[in-house]
Amino acid sequence: MTTKATARSARRRRSRFALGLGIVAVPLVLALLGPLFTGDPGPRSASFTLGGGHWLGTDFVGRDVWRQVLHGGRTVVLTALAATALAYLVALPVGLVSALTHLRRLEDVLMRPLDVLLAVPSLLLILLVASVFAPGAAGLALLVALVNVPDAARIVRAAAGEVAARPAVEALRMQGETWWRIAVGYVGRSSLRTLAADAGIRLTGVLYLVSTAAFLGVGVAPDAADWAVMVDRNRTGLLVQPWAVVVPALLIVALTTGTNLLFDAALEKTPRTKGRRP
């Protein structure tokens, strides 16, 4: 690989990272800092109007769309991040123990219940549980984490299992290294690249599930300031007042697209330059 090719690859990686950062920064800033600048909700006026002192018009109950946009991202972002973190909090130890154990029965105890759970469609399970318990935002995060644990655990097990089969792991066992040092210090660290790639894809899937659940009224109030709820409740006036639907929808798309670009750029390998022989 020539030096020029390596430089081009590095520039492409930096440009992709910058593009992803620029795309994801807009919804993240609005979601995390927006509520600090909105103040009171303001008076309600006629529904589905454009202008009239409102930058983006009004929504289906006459609220200012811009204020709703500033308020509506925090729930989506924080719920998705919490659900992803909780899923890996369970999947990592289950996958590592399953990959490193020599006891077939223990592996079956850990993985077979997850296989059963994996057979149930994620959104269907969320809707079934939500119809009984009516969860809030925290409950929605737990539900989304639950449906992501089986797949995440299988990815961890597959990645860790490949590393656990290396002679180095057996050498570490013979040297008397602790299970923690082998599992986390060597196997987990060696699997980090695969798990990071899966985390990027999984976060996008979690965002989709959280947004879809909120769109269907799970975890949030029907008139809550939430981007997914805004898309659902304002779609009847799409042709009259499109900004109430288009803006929150674009913010959700930007969040998922930017996240994928960031992870792709962070995980892309820069080709090594091979020196020429004299």
Side-chain angles (χ1 to χ4, degrees), residues 122-149:
S122 301
L123 189 57
L124 177 61
L125 182 60
I126 290 175
L127 291 176
L128 287 174
V129 176
S131 65
V132 178
F133 296 104
L140 178 59
L142 287 173
L143 278 176
V144 175
L146 175 66
V147 299
N148 274 274
V149 166

Side-chain angles (χ1 to χ4, degrees), residues 48-275:
F48 294 134
T49 61
L50 292 171
H54 305 284
W55 290 5
L56 299 177
T58 59
D59 65 2
F60 71 109
V61 291
R63 298 174 300 188
D64 184 87
V65 171
W66 175 241
R67 290 177 181 269
Q68 298 303 301
V69 167
L70 292 178
H71 271 292
R74 180 171 290 184
T75 303
V76 175
V77 172
L78 294 183
T79 302
L81 290 175
T84 305
L86 287 172
Y88 277 108
L89 191 63
V90 178
L92 281 172
V94 170
L96 286 174
V97 171
S98 180
L100 289 168
T101 185
H102 292 296
L103 300 175
R104 180 72 178 181
R105 184 173 297 178
L106 177 59
E107 183 180 0
D108 290 339
V109 169
L110 291 173
M111 299 302 297
R112 296 298 79 79
L114 297 182
D115 291 341
V116 174
L117 189 60
L118 189 63
V120 182
S122 301
L123 189 57
L124 177 61
L125 182 60
I126 290 175
L127 291 176
L128 287 174
V129 176
S131 65
V132 178
F133 296 104
L140 178 59
L142 287 173
L143 278 176
V144 175
L146 175 66
V147 299
N148 274 274
V149 166
D151 192 42
R154 289 171 66 91
I155 296 294
V156 173
R157 181 187 178 281
E162 183 180 355
V163 179
R166 296 176 183 175
V169 174
E170 189 62 31
L172 289 172
R173 286 197 179 104
M174 294 177 66
Q175 291 174 7
E177 296 289 352
T178 62
W179 185 91
W180 179 264
R181 182 174 176 83
I182 295 173
V184 178
Y186 181 76
V187 176
R189 188 171 58 183
S190 300
S191 307
L192 191 59
R193 190 177 188 83
T194 301
L195 300 183
D198 177 68
I201 299 173
R202 192 161 308 282
L203 180 58
T204 301
V206 167
L207 282 167
Y208 159 76
L209 270 180
V210 170
S211 300
T212 304
F215 182 87
L216 296 173
V218 178
V220 293
D223 61 345
D226 181 276
W227 290 344
V229 173
M230 290 178 68
V231 174
D232 176 38
R233 297 298 181 261
N234 294 305
R235 57 191 168 89
T236 56
L238 179 61
L239 298 180
V240 179
Q241 214 294 54
W243 300 122
V245 176
V246 172
V247 172
L250 286 178
L251 288 171
I252 294 174
V253 171
L255 193 60
T256 56
T257 303
T259 300
N260 273 332
L261 285 173
L262 280 177
F263 273 89
D264 285 347
L267 295 171
E268 183 180 352
K269 289 184 177 181
T270 301
R272 296 180 181 179
T273 305
K274 294 182 179 180

Side-chain angles (χ1 to χ4, degrees), residues 25-41:
V26 176
L28 277 182
V29 169
L30 289 177
L32 300 179
L33 301 181
L36 301 177
F37 301 100
T38 53
D40 61 84

